[in-house]
Amino acid sequence: MVISTAAGWGNLGSFVLSILLAFFFGYLLTLWPVLRAGLSLRQATGIALAADTVSIAIMEAVDNGFVAVVPGALNAGLGDAKFWWSIVLGFAIAFGPAWAANRWLIGRGKGHAVMHEYHHH
């Protein structure tokens, strides 16, 4: 949202860019250790998709949804405290549902559980 706000983009562009970057960096953070463990890019990509898709989607839906409902947050500039606290509070609120979903998935051998064997201790 910082990039799109600084560039003067509209709300749709801001949401699209923030969601795309969240998925890109979320998957990248999972890909890196799995690739270092020796898996191919194709295998690592499959693991990253399985491990992180649900949690990233929940985080983005809750955070962007929260920012969208805070009056004036979408029109706030980078120098406005409302811009920053709405994003931070949205992430804080989104953490609980994302954590619960991850815990539920891991308990069933899915989600981040699919990559546990590739972590180096």
Side-chain angles (χ1 to χ4, degrees):
M1 289 194 164
V2 173
I3 294 168
S4 56
T5 300
W9 293 3
N11 296 337
L12 180 61
S14 181
F15 285 128
V16 169
L17 181 63
S18 67
I19 292 167
L20 288 175
L21 289 175
F23 276 97
F24 175 77
F25 286 109
Y27 290 144
L28 187 64
L29 289 171
T30 298
L31 276 174
W32 185 254
V34 177
L35 287 171
R36 289 185 51 208
L39 272 70
S40 71
L41 180 59
R42 182 182 174 124
Q43 292 169 316
T45 300
I47 289 170
L49 291 172
D52 290 331
T53 299
V54 171
S55 63
I56 296 170
I58 290 170
M59 286 293 292
E60 287 304 298
V62 174
D63 183 44
N64 286 310
F66 179 77
V67 171
V69 300
V70 171
L74 291 175
N75 297 320
L78 296 179
D80 189 338
K82 186 179 286 189
F83 175 87
W84 297 102
W85 71 252
S86 65
I87 291 172
V88 171
L89 188 54
F91 274 129
I93 293 167
F95 178 81
W99 178 84
N102 277 328
R103 184 173 171 94
W104 186 83
L105 288 168
I106 289 170
R108 283 143 190 81
K110 300 187 182 318
H112 244 269
V114 300
M115 71 168 286
H116 284 177
E117 66 186 274
Y118 304 108
H119 281 287
H120 294 290
H121 299 285

